[in-house]
Amino acid sequence: MTRLAVLFLAAVALAACEPTNRAPAALPGVAGDPTSAAFFRAAVGDRVLFAVDEATLGTQARNTLEAQARWLIENGGYNAVIEGHADEQGTREYNLALGARRAAAVKEFLVARGVADGRLDTVTFGKERPIEICSEETCYERNRRAVTVIAAGAGA
Amino acid sequence: MLRVVLALVLLAIGSASVAQERGPLRIEITEGVIEPVPIAVPDFLTDDPALAARAAEIAGVVRADLAGSGLFRPIPADAFISQVTNLDSPVQYADWQAINAQGLVTGKLIGADGKYTVQFRLFDIFAETTLGEGLQFTAADTAWRRLAHKVADAVYSRITGEGGYFDSRVVFVAESGPKDARDKRLAIMDYDGANTRYLTQPGDIVLAPRISRDGGQVLYTSYATGRPRVTLIETETLATRVLDEQPGSMTFSPRFTPDGQGVLLSLSERGNTDLYRLDLAGGARTRLTEAPSIETAPSFAPDGERIVFESDRSGNQQLYVMAADGSGVERISFGPGRYGTPVWSPKGDLIAFTKQHRGRFHIGVMRPDGSEERLLTASFLDESPTWAPNGRVLMFTRETPGAAGGAQLFSVDVTGRNLRPVPTPGPASDPAWSPLQE
């Protein structure tokens, strides 16, 4: 219960501010435009968080992904790359595999909700691209993430 | 208890009458700290005054190699009573005995036609005898450090009975930039940090390289295509080739097969990571594991018959050994905590690994059957061990915590002694030690 509450608070905190997006392919756009990638990042929520060493989607993550699936279905001109990440408390190659597992869990969920498989790609960054750089759980929990990065699609 | 036979026996300090009450010199590295053996390595001689500085530098590298092993203590030149002025003059044993030098290395540098030749001799001072024949090595003058390493390897080898490791190279990842946008470049250097050369350009993420037996090729994981891909680079021409570029998959964790003809790697597809063997020439791919769990970080036994790897099939990372064709998988790690990054020793006798337990990281070694586990280091984050060519020393990555945290290479010997940082131009990670150079 405590962990869920913490995850939930972290997700609220993330949603409250504009998340930094370091993906080079990030599309420009205005957050006020509900069909923009910026809106997806800020209002829909582009990321879900995971427990240590896990790729299981919790309640908060599933809620975020339900919203992502609806948005992706409504905005069929976009594709997405799902980036899986791990915190630094793991060996490098294991964390690559763990990030791949997390990205795949998100993709499977979105596909099960009706997003076409071919629109979604996955990539792992292991522990190579943390967004928080402290070595405490407050940072780690935000680094254990899968981020859905909106990209130009066939119809865009 | 531990029976890693690490008796580094100082060879044949014969029963010569002049042994002055000293028994045969014997270093047994067990768990305690041993006293390094005092050794004199005067600056090498040369008949050419223009080469005097270089001759002194070569002896300096020999001293640094021997001291760096933790087994020797070079005696400062200002303590010498005798001066070596001619390679063929009789050694004044009494003078070296008086300063308690147990070994003496003398050498001479000869230069001709862009080449250097180093002649050297090793003496057992208290047995009053030479230790092995005099030897000489020749190389291009630009490779003078290699000549020094070869002399040091011969000295180390004669006195310990183990192979040397100084004339070797290390490929590693040179890091720069902040933790959340770190830039990584492949680099190669001599084992002691000299002669660093970059193999890749900035602007990429490159991970966990491995070097071929002849040093001509390096396997690594690159993000140049936007996703992790096993890539091969030629160390001379810097030509790169992405291996096994299948759409939708990611590959990482590459290792050369012992014959250099193939690659073991991890391939991740739909979130599942398994081990494959790839033929370098033809590209044929053989699947070695087929499980819903993570299988990665493979390492061949030196005889090529078995593979050690890590898997979380039990629920967390543990070490497993299987036959080269993927059959007969057996778990070998059973202690508390998680085990990853296994690396089989070039001697075949030990497997090094990274262990995580209670929030700490350790480099450790165990027998290939999992027995006699022994942790050598402990810190916030130690990982990615690699073996010295003689299987007696390990190099690894140590990372410090926090926003300002950074990675650095360290070395430690198999008994946990002689932990020391390895000099690199900046932060560095993921070392891979080459075999001894030809």
Side-chain angles (χ1 to χ4, degrees):
Chain A
M1 277 317 288
T2 315
R3 179 171 296 282
L4 272 181
V6 169
L7 287 179
F8 178 73
L9 283 173
V12 167
L14 278 171
C17 59
E18 174 78 358
T20 319
N21 194 323
R22 295 172 194 282
L27 293 179
V30 194
D33 172 3
T35 68
S36 72
F39 180 88
F40 178 85
R41 289 198 299 276
V44 176
D46 68 347
R47 65 199 58 200
V48 297
L49 305 180
F50 297 87
V52 175
D53 227 3
E54 292 287 338
T56 310
L57 300 167
T59 308
Q60 178 63 27
R62 296 168 76 90
N63 289 341
T64 301
L65 295 178
E66 294 280 6
Q68 286 190 7
R70 282 195 299 274
W71 189 92
L72 284 164
I73 290 166
E74 283 164 16
N75 296 279
Y78 294 109
N79 289 343
V81 179
I82 301 152
E83 299 177 351
H85 298 267
D87 68 34
E88 69 185 353
Q89 309 167 96
T91 48
R92 194 177 314 287
E93 289 168 334
Y94 175 81
N95 276 358
L96 288 175
L98 180 60
R101 195 185 255 173
R102 286 172 175 164
V106 167
K107 176 173 172 173
E108 270 174 36
F109 187 96
L110 295 175
V111 168
R113 289 299 180 279
V115 181
D117 187 295
R119 294 176 61 199
L120 303 174
D121 194 8
T122 58
V123 62
T124 177
F125 283 91
K127 60 176 174 176
E128 305 307 315
R129 282 294 179 264
I131 47 167
E132 301 293 339
I133 57 176
C134 81
S135 294
E136 287 146 33
E137 177 55 21
T138 50
C139 287
Y140 290 160
E141 68 181 5
R142 292 173 67 165
N143 288 334
R144 293 189 299 264
R145 69 202 192 277
V147 183
T148 306
V149 179
I150 301 300
Chain B
M1 246 333 269
L2 187 81
R3 302 223 42 214
V4 182
V5 184
L6 270 184
L8 289 178
V9 181
L10 278 179
L11 278 186
I13 306 286
S15 50
S17 53
V18 263
Q20 299 198 344
E21 315 286 312
R22 287 168 189 265
L25 252 178
R26 176 180 289 267
I27 304 174
E28 285 204 35
I29 299 180
T30 51
E31 289 179 62
V33 174
I34 66 146
E35 192 62 32
V37 171
I39 191 166
V41 187
D43 288 349
F44 285 5
L45 305 170
T46 181
D47 293 334
D48 180 352
L51 291 182
R54 183 65 83 212
E57 277 182 297
I58 289 173
V61 171
V62 173
R63 289 191 290 266
D65 283 346
L66 295 176
S69 74
L71 300 180
F72 300 92
R73 181 176 61 77
I75 298 171
D78 57 14
F80 295 169
I81 299 167
S82 240
Q83 301 300 323
V84 176
T85 52
N86 185 322
L87 211 52
D88 299 316
S89 301
V91 167
Q92 304 300 311
Y93 288 110
D95 287 350
W96 299 105
Q97 288 164 0
I99 61 170
N100 197 33
Q102 313 216 358
L104 168 68
V105 180
T106 60
K108 180 173 180 178
L109 174 63
I110 300 155
D113 305 327
K115 289 190 171 180
Y116 284 156
T117 295
V118 165
Q119 303 173 331
F120 81 98
R121 289 169 193 178
L122 171 62
F123 299 89
D124 178 342
I125 293 302
F126 286 93
E128 300 194 1
T129 178
T130 57
L131 204 45
E133 298 293 307
L135 277 182
Q136 70 174 39
F137 299 116
T138 300
D141 55 8
T142 50
W144 63 271
R145 293 186 69 94
R146 285 199 58 195
L147 288 174
H149 294 317
K150 282 186 175 298
V151 171
D153 276 328
V155 170
Y156 177 99
S157 187
R158 284 178 183 181
I159 294 182
T160 65
E162 300 278 342
Y165 63 94
F166 305 122
D167 184 26
S168 60
R169 310 211 75 198
V170 173
V171 59
F172 66 101
V173 173
E175 304 194 357
S176 60
K179 207 172 187 176
D180 55 352
R182 199 149 272 171
D183 199 74
K184 298 194 169 190
R185 298 175 73 183
L186 273 189
I188 190 166
M189 65 182 186
D190 296 351
Y191 97 98
D192 60 358
N195 292 322
T196 300
R197 183 164 69 95
Y198 294 96
L199 302 179
T200 63
Q201 295 301 310
D204 193 4
I205 305 174
V206 297
L207 307 172
R210 291 292 188 278
I211 189 163
S212 64
R213 291 202 68 79
D214 65 3
Q217 297 178 317
V218 172
L219 283 167
Y220 62 108
T221 300
S222 166
Y223 277 76
T225 63
R227 58 175 56 233
R229 290 281 192 209
V230 168
T231 306
L232 183 74
I233 186 167
E234 305 288 335
T235 52
E236 284 311 311
T237 65
L238 304 185
T240 61
R241 174 158 73 101
V242 177
L243 305 181
D244 200 57
E245 200 159 5
Q246 311 270 334
S249 70
M250 295 175 270
T251 53
F252 50 92
S253 205
R255 321 285 194 244
F256 285 102
T257 57
D259 64 7
Q261 304 298 303
V263 177
L264 287 182
L265 52 77
S266 282
L267 184 144
S268 196
E269 225 168 4
R270 289 182 293 280
N272 182 31
T273 300
D274 273 301
L275 295 174
Y276 292 77
R277 180 181 180 140
L278 194 70
D279 176 51
L280 266 177
R285 193 168 81 181
T286 313
R287 187 167 189 162
L288 297 180
T289 65
E290 193 154 5
S293 43
I294 289 172
E295 276 72 37
T296 190
S299 174
F300 260 110
D303 64 9
E305 291 186 359
R306 287 184 292 169
I307 296 167
V308 63
F309 65 100
E310 64 170 78
S311 166
D312 70 349
R313 60 185 65 185
S314 72
N316 62 20
Q317 278 171 286
Q318 298 293 336
L319 306 185
Y320 295 79
V321 169
M322 64 183 179
D325 64 0
S327 66
V329 177
E330 278 183 39
R331 179 170 165 178
I332 61 164
S333 62
F334 291 97
R338 298 159 56 179
Y339 296 78
T341 77
V343 194
W344 215 305
S345 152
K347 285 171 72 93
D349 58 341
L350 293 170
I351 289 170
F353 54 84
T354 302
K355 176 166 177 163
Q356 288 170 258
H357 185 47
R358 293 185 174 152
R360 302 276 285 173
F361 281 70
H362 308 268
I363 303 299
V365 293
M366 60 172 62
R367 292 288 188 188
D369 64 2
S371 64
E372 298 170 28
E373 175 179 332
R374 177 184 173 87
L375 299 183
L376 309 179
T377 73
S379 90
F380 165 74
L381 210 179
D382 287 349
E383 68 168 312
S384 64
T386 182
W387 288 98
N390 70 353
R392 287 292 171 247
V393 181
L394 289 155
M395 201 178 286
F396 61 97
T397 309
R398 172 165 287 179
E399 192 138 356
T400 50
Q408 188 174 8
L409 305 186
F410 276 77
S411 64
V412 67
D413 74 23
V414 276
T415 64
R417 290 179 60 250
N418 200 32
L419 175 73
R420 56 175 67 209
V422 178
T424 49
S429 61
D430 291 5
W433 213 320
S434 82
L436 274 185
Q437 300 187 87
E438 292 300 318

